[in-house]
Structures are given as C-alpha cells and as structure tokens.
Amino acid sequence: IDAVRTLAPGQVETHTIDTEPIQPGCRLSPGALLSVAQQRAGRTPMGLLFTVGGQKFGWGESLSPAGASVLPGLVHRLASLI
C-alpha cells in the first residue's frame, strides 16, 4: 500500500507487480522484492500494489478524512486476498 500525490485524495488504484532486476543498494523496489522471493522460494508470488491518493504528506498523527474514509474498504479487500 502506498500513498501518492498523483491521484485525487481517497482514490484507490490497484496495480499488478512483475519481477524486475535487483539493483545494488539498500532499497528494493516491489518488483525486485518479488525477484528475491522467486530466487529463494523457486516461484513468484502474486504481487499487487494498492495506491491511495493522499492529501497531507507532512508529519502528523492522523489520516486526512479522504484517506481515512477508504481504509475500511481497502482492509476488507486485502483480507479477501489472503
């Protein structure tokens, strides 16, 4: 799950993730993480990325109303995939 500025606040999109080459460094992209799983387990798990349009990206202790409103549906969707 990732918050992005490119969607309207509260809008949710789902993207499939494919494997991609592992680049040297301290960070792994979602596709590179799937590649690691493929190398270790011998198969590639399904990869999905849920992007949620954010409204406020500063420090704080709560979500914006738009972000908070989509959480119950997103949690339900995630739970149905497990």
Side-chain angles (χ1 to χ4, degrees), residues 21-74:
I22 301 168
Q23 302 295 325
C26 298
R27 294 185 155 179
L28 287 176
S29 67
L33 186 58
L34 286 179
S35 294
V36 170
Q38 182 181 42
Q39 289 175 358
R40 301 280 191 244
R43 64 179 190 89
T44 306
M46 176 179 62
L48 293 174
L49 173 64
F50 295 91
T51 55
V52 179
Q55 189 172 16
K56 297 179 181 179
F57 288 87
W59 292 99
E61 295 184 13
S62 62
L63 296 172
S64 67
S69 70
V70 301
L71 278 184
L74 187 55

Side-chain angles (χ1 to χ4, degrees), residues 7 11 13 15 20 23 43 48 52 59-60 65-66 71 78 80:
L7 296 176
Q11 182 180 349
E13 288 185 351
H15 306 273
E20 59 186 54
Q23 302 295 325
R43 64 179 190 89
L48 293 174
V52 179
W59 292 99
L71 278 184
L78 291 169
S80 71

Side-chain angles (χ1 to χ4, degrees), residues 2-27:
D2 193 20
V4 296
R5 288 184 165 96
T6 56
L7 296 176
Q11 182 180 349
V12 178
E13 288 185 351
T14 305
H15 306 273
T16 57
I17 301 171
D18 294 319
T19 59
E20 59 186 54
I22 301 168
Q23 302 295 325
C26 298
R27 294 185 155 179

